[in-house]
Amino acid sequence: MSERSSRPGQERRSEWVEEPQVPEGITGRELERDAREELRSLSKETAERVARHLVAAGMLVEDDPETALAHARFAARRGGRVGAVRETYGVVAYQNGDFATAVRELRTAVRITGRHDLLPMIADCERGLGRPEKALDVASSPEAEKLGPTAMVEMMIVVAGAYADTGDLSTAIATLEIPALRQKVDGAWQVRLWVAYADLLEAAGRSDEARSWITLAADADTERITDAADRLGRPAPVVEDSPWADDEQVTVLDAYVDIDDDVDADADVDEEDGGADAEDGGADVVDAVDEGDTHIDDTDIDVTDADDADEADTGHVTDQDESEDVVTDGLAADDDEEPRA
């Protein structure tokens, strides 16, 4: 009997994948409810087994990424027809820099679930594989138009990075000059957007502006989403002491105003205009949220707290081109998903 006459996927199913040991105490019930619901399509025993490995992958991804990837791979081997399982495998592979595996698994997860919020990560995988043009194709796809506000900001960060990859820094910078630079999106400041914008400004030789934006990220990033605070050599701000807790304290200043001299300079401007309140000697400010200003006049706008200005720097995605031909639960990757060298 030829290989072609055998049952589809039979040979791949027979491939043995070593099962990593799940840390003690993990039951699988720690998994998010939505993911547990998806696992109900599996047998009870298999669902519980897969859930434990998914939880282990999530717990270990920061401290032991290789072991986390092994857990995610095994979970995908046992529950490969479940979208949440393929998504977890893809995300863990992405965090390991295995962009070839990640893009395949994430695309499969999108097909299974019909969700599109993974598209920014898929586009970034294309960047990681050295294919910025394909990243731009993902961003311009009809599916990308369905992204929510936060996911759209993430996509813009990837798009800007893709343009930077091609050497077009001016377009990359302009891509990020969107309302989200000065306004909260879904109730949160987009600190990753600020860091990405700062990186591009630094690459373009606009170091002073970059320093102001990276400082904002360090001041506002109470959840350690970025490493801006680490680069400043200081701990991340805590929520109780965060100057960003109250929208009234958010200000927009011109990037070229000397922060040390802004009291005197702006007091003079206020007297000439005859309408500004110089009682506390502060800068002429506009609250980005309350005013509802969605227009960026030029690249010289900076968002900052009037009381803070430090320095920082940060990075983006580390491009690696690794490939792992892992097929899970008899589901082979499509030909058009296989990464190109």
Side-chain angles (χ1 to χ4, degrees):
M1 179 182 294
S2 66
E3 290 186 7
R4 288 293 182 184
S5 63
S6 62
R7 187 158 53 95
Q10 181 176 336
E11 181 179 356
R12 294 187 181 275
R13 281 196 179 93
S14 66
E15 294 177 356
W16 179 73
V17 177
E18 182 178 2
E19 180 174 8
Q21 183 175 357
V22 177
E24 292 184 8
I26 293 179
T27 66
R29 290 190 294 272
E30 303 89 347
L31 199 63
E32 293 182 359
R33 181 175 180 179
D34 290 345
R36 293 202 309 270
E37 288 295 322
E38 290 189 49
L39 291 178
R40 293 181 65 180
S41 61
L42 306 174
S43 69
K44 181 178 179 181
E45 180 182 356
T46 300
E48 292 176 352
R49 191 177 182 186
V50 169
R52 289 195 296 272
H53 284 286
L54 292 180
V55 173
M59 290 179 59
L60 296 172
V61 69
E62 294 292 336
D63 299 327
D64 191 353
E66 291 186 4
T67 302
L69 188 60
H71 282 288
R73 183 187 301 116
F74 183 82
R77 174 66 179 81
R78 302 296 298 179
R81 290 185 174 86
V82 179
V85 176
R86 304 299 286 267
E87 176 183 345
T88 298
Y89 187 20
V91 170
V92 174
Y94 173 82
Q95 293 174 312
N96 271 265
D98 184 358
F99 300 117
T101 297
V103 73
R104 183 189 68 226
E105 295 300 311
L106 293 172
R107 285 185 182 277
T108 302
V110 169
R111 286 201 304 270
I112 294 173
T113 65
R115 290 170 44 200
H116 302 292
D117 55 336
L118 296 176
L119 290 178
M121 194 176 295
I122 291 173
D124 211 22
C125 286
E126 297 292 358
R127 284 190 61 210
L129 290 168
R131 304 194 293 238
E133 295 82 4
K134 293 201 70 174
L136 295 175
D137 289 342
V138 173
S140 61
S141 67
E143 293 78 13
E145 297 178 1
K146 303 174 184 177
L147 293 174
T150 300
M152 184 60 74
V153 170
E154 289 295 322
M155 183 64 87
M156 290 300 96
I157 293 174
V158 175
V159 168
Y163 280 121
D165 291 343
T166 66
D168 191 352
L169 276 177
S170 60
T171 300
I173 291 173
T175 298
L176 297 188
E177 289 169 345
I178 56 179
L181 269 175
R182 300 195 299 176
Q183 293 180 325
K184 286 186 175 181
V185 176
D186 288 342
W189 295 108
Q190 300 299 297
V191 291
R192 278 178 37 77
L193 176 62
W194 293 348
V195 167
Y197 190 54
D199 289 342
L200 293 174
L201 291 173
E202 185 69 37
R206 295 159 62 178
S207 299
D208 290 341
E209 295 171 79
R211 183 170 60 249
S212 297
W213 285 97
I214 201 68
T215 298
L216 291 176
D219 289 342
D221 190 5
T222 59
E223 298 181 2
R224 289 282 190 174
I225 297 173
T226 72
D227 64 349
D230 292 334
R231 298 194 179 202
L232 284 173
R234 69 188 191 192
V238 294
V239 175
E240 298 80 38
D241 300 327
S242 172
W244 306 93
D246 189 345
D247 286 347
E248 294 299 328
Q249 298 179 24
V250 179
T251 58
V252 180
L253 300 178
D254 189 293
Y256 290 104
V257 173
D258 187 335
I259 299 300
D260 294 332
D261 299 330
D262 63 356
V263 172
D264 295 336
D266 290 331
D268 293 341
V269 173
D270 289 344
E271 289 178 0
E272 293 177 5
D273 292 343
D277 183 4
E279 181 178 352
D280 24 13
D284 183 17
V285 301
V286 178
D287 187 299
V289 176
D290 291 344
E291 291 296 328
D293 184 4
T294 60
H295 178 65
I296 302 295
D297 292 331
D298 51 44
T299 58
D300 299 335
I301 298 296
D302 185 21
V303 182
T304 187
D305 184 279
D307 298 323
D308 286 316
D310 293 305
E311 299 180 0
D313 191 12
T314 189
H316 189 48
V317 173
T318 300
D319 290 349
Q320 295 180 356
D321 188 359
E322 301 181 12
S323 177
E324 180 180 357
D325 185 18
V326 178
V327 181
T328 61
D329 201 28
L331 296 178
D334 294 342
D335 293 340
D336 60 355
E337 293 172 9
E338 295 180 357
R340 296 191 295 244

